[in-house]
Amino acid sequence: MPQTPTEPRTTEPRTTEPGTTNRRTTTRPTYRHLFTLPGTRAFTAGNLIARLPAGMFSVSAVVMIAGSRGSYALAGAVTATGLAATALAGPWIARLTDRHGQSRTAVPATAVAALGSLALLLCVRYGAPDWTLFAAYAATATTPNTGGMSRARWAHLLADDTEALHTANSFEQAADELCFMLGPALAAFLCGTFFPEAGTLIGAVLLLTGILIFTAQRSTEPPPSPTPKGSSPLRTPGIPPLVAGFIATGAVFGAMEVVTLAYADAVGHRAAGGAVLALQAAGSCAAGLLYGTLNPTDAPERRLRWCLLAMTTLMPLPLLATRTLNSLPALAVALLLAGMATAPTMITAMTLLQHRTPEGRLNEGMSLAVTGLLLGIACGSATGGWVADHASPTAGFAVPTAAAATALLIGVLSKETP
């Protein structure tokens, strides 16, 4: 699916300052080079603050609800409801963002989400009926796709520089991994050290603060598209296979998380499960940063297939480690290695999504990736948990392996866009 001159651009061409010209970088771009562009440090700082709570809210809600109501089943059902609501509301919020701009849309959407978090906190604190927990947590689905908005800004700023955009996408994926690695740990610390509602409260404050800092950087914001060109991204050739691939990749993440925790519990080291999972995120983060320093020359479609092949090859390592060695340290090493294939896969898939999304609809296109991942995580978690319960945690590691193979099959069978 090589990119051709007829392929729709994701943003308007970058506007030059008076007396300057656009130019393609002739040297390999670096992360330092990205942050020499005016405004990039400020919007990145705000976005990272706003993105950290994404890894906090689910853990905080489970600890808070289970501790108060004594039911992990209720806590899991509430968080699953929020996940489903986010998958439904995400594309709608992103469509409004494309049409009206990030600043005008993200701030009120974040305010609604923050109020939902506070409502959940108060309902738990004061013993409100169970149904109020579902309603309050569903309101948090208006949280904007902070990672997608940041990627949209990079695509706007670097529309004339493919190599630098590759580096920016790599940085964003590494940032995702870092936030999902630190977020749960921070949530557990806050809830355990202060009071059960502390994680939710601090998460809401961080989200609102980060969005206010991020949206204040108007100079880097992509211009709104009140009348976007082209059809919906989901009906654009080449995008449905990518969304299907994101669903399969999300299943890898969801299944691996549940099965790893189940295995750690089965071998008597339940408290170490989170630390072992963090190694997978660490491996992915390191691989993503390294991948961003490369200067790929192959078409992104071909690179995606190689990345999917690497992920399918490495994903059986946790299954082999637990089946042959039956050791938590061996599983930790296997997860570290397996995680190194996920970030390059996500980076390349996101780059392809940017290329294929019709002009003026980039935030909506990015939201489809998040929706696919959320659906995949939910399916992977449910399937992995069922196999771990009805067979064994070791057998459960076959689920992420199968999901990775499915993603590879989708990549191989998908047709190239015209």
Side-chain angles (χ1 to χ4, degrees), residues 45 79 121 150 177 233 248 322 329 363 394:
T79 55
L121 185 156
S150 186
E177 301 291 349
T322 54
N363 285 288
T394 296

Side-chain angles (χ1 to χ4, degrees), residues 1 233-249 304-305 308 349 352-353 356 406-407 409-417:
M1 296 174 277
L234 196 57
R235 294 196 295 268
T236 301
I239 289 186
L242 283 176
V243 175
F246 281 120
I247 293 174
T249 305
L304 179 58
R305 291 185 182 118
L308 289 170
L352 268 175
L353 189 63
R356 295 175 180 176
T406 302
L409 183 63
I410 292 170
V412 170
L413 296 180
S414 60
K415 296 180 179 180
E416 297 188 1
T417 56

Side-chain angles (χ1 to χ4, degrees), residues 8 37 52 62 77 89 99 129 133 147 233 236 241 259 284 313 316 321 327 380 387 392 402:
L37 300 175
L52 183 61
V62 169
R99 294 186 178 182
L133 308 184
T236 301
V259 174
S284 184
T313 303
S327 163
V387 174
S392 69

Side-chain angles (χ1 to χ4, degrees), residues 94-113:
R95 191 175 300 121
L96 292 176
T97 302
D98 283 325
R99 294 186 178 182
H100 302 289
Q102 293 182 353
S103 301
R104 292 183 61 187
T105 305
V107 174
T110 301
V112 172

Side-chain angles (χ1 to χ4, degrees), residues 32-84:
R32 179 178 297 181
H33 164 74
L34 293 178
F35 296 106
T36 59
L37 300 175
T40 54
R41 294 184 182 182
F43 90 68
T44 299
N47 191 271
L48 289 176
I49 294 172
R51 203 183 305 189
L52 183 61
M56 298 175 58
F57 282 135
S58 180
V59 172
S60 299
V62 169
V63 172
M64 182 171 61
I65 295 171
S68 173
R69 305 296 170 94
S71 172
Y72 279 98
L74 175 62
V78 170
T79 55
T81 300
L83 193 69

Side-chain angles (χ1 to χ4, degrees), residues 248-301:
T249 305
V252 172
F253 299 149
M256 190 67 79
E257 178 177 350
V258 171
V259 174
T260 298
L261 293 176
Y263 180 82
D265 191 14
V267 297
H269 297 285
R270 183 178 184 181
V276 172
L277 276 173
L279 287 176
Q280 181 188 7
S284 184
C285 180
L289 290 174
L290 178 61
Y291 189 61
T293 65
L294 305 178
N295 189 12
T297 57
D298 287 347
E301 293 83 1

